[in-house]
Structures are given as structure tokens and as C-alpha cells.
Amino acid sequence: MTTTLNPPPLLKATTPAPAPRSTRRRKKERGYETRSLVSPMSLQTLRGKVIYWTILVVVVIGFTLAFVFPLYWMVTGALKSPEELAQIPPSFFPKHFDFGVYADAWDQLQLGVFLKNTALYAGGAWLFTLAVDVTAAYALSKLRPFFGKLILGLMLATLMIPPMVLLLPTYLVAKDVPLFHFDLLNTPWAIWLPAAANGFFIFLLKRFFDSIPRELLEAAEIDGASPMRILWSIVLPVSRPILGVVSILSVVTVWKDFVWPLLVLPETDKMSISVGIASLSAQMPQNVLIASLVIASLPTILVFFVFQRSIMAGLTAGSLKG
């Protein structure tokens, strides 16, 4: 009688089943899954807390001083006398606070005229920038014309060209506008028209317009709204954050520009604030010159503090939830 031994069954390689989603979520909430350089477990120790807060405080204070100290040095430098400004080592606090230097800077450097000119240039550039760039971005994003991607690529290619390379051809165009043969020198149009054509603003606006749900526009089309009506009544109201960012950037860019206004606005009564201060700086004491720089920088600082929330909302806004 023969007996046959059955071979033992082969053990099948088994892979552990993936953890349920609820288990993975609980692990993530407990800190088992981290994506940072320092894990939550390390931060719970005394050594980890000391290192973390030390680095955080040093970095925050260092960056704050790096940005705030030049502003403080400018404000306090205007209150010092020329002799105190020239002494070595310099003093961090003025010995005598002379606020009359700001009045002298206002009168001697004609800051009222320069500020009025700059406000005119910045306000016109802002209006033209919104009119041109918003419509161009809307057309590329929602109307989608033929060769739209090619046109957008050519616009973005202009950002790769150094601004100094474009100074001469842009100046020649402003000197003699093709086809119309207008001379735009010593006119606000020499500032407004070049500022309106900005490939970066068009790209920024197009990316935001792409995030607007198509269903909103289709519903308006069914109701009989034209493309311009859709732009005015639907796209612009939901795009206020990015419009605020573009507005502030366009105003600040024109306000602080120096080389281009120096070329196209040579007359003294047409100069912007930066060019006007530079043209009269050689005739003024150093403290008066610094006081004029403080006055010239106040509008942009006030604009930032007033619209700070809009700036942060526009930079972080990326999509709409519906």
C-alpha cells in the first residue's frame, strides 16, 4: 500500500491592503505624515522649540530691519543738519529735530508742481493700462481668437528683452509715431501709451480670467448678453482682487520711473517727481534733498498701507469655487 504525500500548498505572496482613507487621515492629523523640514515630533521637544523660535525671531527681525532701516535713515537724515550728516561716525538720532526742512524742500524744489505732474502721469497710465490689458486678457482667455496662443507667446517674449534695449526704439516711436507722425515728447501720451502695453499684466489677468467658471459666461450668453456686457457685469466684479494688484503695480511703476521720463519730458515744468528732484539736487543742501525724497515716497507708502489687503488678496487668489 503506497501513500502519496500531498505537497504543502505554496504560500502566496500577499501585499498588505492599503490603509483606509479614514486611517490615513487620522495619521496625518496626528503628525505621522509631514512635508516640512522639521517634523511635529521634533517641535514637541525643548531643544526643537528653542531652535525653531530662535531661527524664526532672527529671520523676522533681520528681514524687518533690512527693509525698515533705510526708511528710518531717510526720515531721520532729513531732520539732521548738513554738518551732522557729514560727521563720521554717523549718529543714529538727530540732535535737534528741525521739521522746517520739509517746508524748505517743498518750496525750493517745486515739489507741488512735480507731484501734480506725476499724479497726472500715474493716473492716466492706470486708466490706459486697465483699458488695454483687461480687454486683451479677456479676449485671449474667453473669446479665444485665432493664433491666440501665438500672440500670448509673443507678448511674453517681450519680457525676456532687457528694458534698456527697448529705450531707443521706443523713443524713436514716441518722437515720430508711425503712420500718424505725431511727436509725443513733452506730452503725457509719451508716458501713458508705453505703460499701457505690458505683457506681464496681460498674462497675470489672463491667468485669473481662466479660473472664472465657464458656466457663468454661458448663462449670461443664454440671457442675451454681449461679450462686452459679460466683461463689464460678470468678469470685472469677480476680478477685483487682481485688478487691484495690477492697478497698484502700474501706478507705482510710473511713479518711481526715472530713465524714461528723463528722455521724453525734458522741460522743467513737465518733469516727474524723480526727474525733478535729480535735476535740482546739485543746488540744494543734503538735508533738504533727503527731505524731498521723503515727501516723494510718501504717496506710494500710503497707497501700500491703504490697499495692503487688496494686494495680498490679489496675489493669493487663484480660483473661484462655485
Side-chain angles (χ1 to χ4, degrees):
M1 180 175 181
T2 61
T3 59
T4 59
L5 298 178
N6 296 326
L10 297 177
L11 297 178
K12 297 182 179 179
T14 59
T15 57
R21 184 176 299 178
S22 58
T23 304
R24 294 198 299 268
R25 186 181 298 111
R26 287 197 300 269
K27 287 183 178 182
K28 186 174 182 180
E29 293 175 354
R30 294 175 183 176
Y32 292 102
E33 296 182 8
T34 58
R35 295 176 182 269
S36 59
L37 294 177
V38 182
S39 64
M41 298 294 293
S42 301
L43 292 178
Q44 294 178 1
T45 62
L46 178 61
R47 180 173 177 270
K49 292 180 179 179
V50 171
I51 296 176
Y52 173 78
W53 286 106
T54 302
I55 296 176
L56 179 63
V57 170
V58 170
V59 170
V60 171
I61 294 178
F63 276 94
T64 302
L65 292 178
F67 286 101
V68 175
F69 182 76
L71 182 62
Y72 164 80
W73 193 255
M74 180 176 62
V75 174
T76 57
L79 301 176
K80 300 176 182 179
S81 62
E83 294 78 13
E84 190 175 357
L85 285 172
Q87 73 178 13
I88 298 178
S91 59
F92 287 91
F93 301 97
K95 298 178 181 178
H96 304 285
F97 293 88
D98 183 16
F99 292 95
V101 68
Y102 290 101
D104 296 338
W106 183 272
D107 296 333
Q108 297 179 19
L109 278 82
Q110 305 176 13
L111 294 183
V113 177
F114 296 147
L115 286 175
K116 182 181 68 175
N117 294 340
T118 310
L120 175 64
Y121 303 147
W126 169 64
L127 293 176
F128 277 95
T129 297
L130 291 184
V132 175
D133 295 352
V134 169
T135 53
Y138 174 70
L140 294 174
S141 176
K142 300 304 181 183
L143 302 182
R144 297 182 180 181
F146 290 104
F147 306 107
K149 294 183 178 180
L150 177 61
I151 295 173
L152 179 62
L154 294 177
M155 290 181 181
L156 296 179
T158 60
L159 302 179
M160 309 302 172
I161 304 175
M164 291 300 174
V165 178
L166 300 176
L167 279 179
L168 181 57
T170 309
Y171 176 82
L172 295 178
V173 171
K175 177 67 176 177
D176 186 10
V177 179
L179 300 179
F180 299 98
H181 302 289
F182 293 151
D183 187 2
L184 304 181
L185 300 184
N186 285 315
T187 63
W189 296 98
I191 303 294
W192 295 343
L193 295 182
N198 193 305
F200 174 72
F201 291 162
I202 295 176
F203 175 74
L204 200 64
L205 290 165
K206 180 187 178 299
R207 294 294 295 175
F208 190 91
F209 292 163
D210 289 341
S211 65
I212 299 177
R214 184 68 185 177
E215 291 76 9
L216 292 176
L217 309 184
E218 292 177 351
E221 291 177 357
I222 293 175
D223 293 338
S226 63
M228 290 302 299
R229 181 67 176 178
I230 295 174
L231 173 63
W232 182 262
S233 301
I234 297 178
V235 176
L236 293 184
V238 301
S239 305
R240 281 179 292 182
I242 195 64
L243 292 179
V245 173
V246 171
S247 301
I248 293 170
L249 291 178
S250 63
V251 170
V252 172
T253 301
V254 175
W255 195 278
K256 67 183 182 64
D257 195 8
F258 176 78
V259 178
W260 181 247
L262 179 64
L263 293 176
V264 299
L265 301 171
E267 294 184 4
T268 304
D269 57 342
K270 301 292 183 60
M271 290 181 178
S272 62
I273 185 68
S274 58
V275 179
I277 292 176
S279 62
L280 301 176
S281 60
Q283 308 170 9
M284 300 299 163
Q286 192 171 5
N287 59 340
V288 176
L289 178 61
I290 297 176
S292 66
L293 297 177
V294 174
I295 296 175
S297 61
L298 282 179
T300 54
I301 296 175
L302 293 177
V303 166
F304 173 77
F305 280 111
V306 171
F307 298 100
Q308 180 181 7
R309 184 172 300 178
S310 300
I311 297 174
M312 299 307 299
L315 292 177
T316 56
S319 62
L320 297 175
K321 295 182 180 181

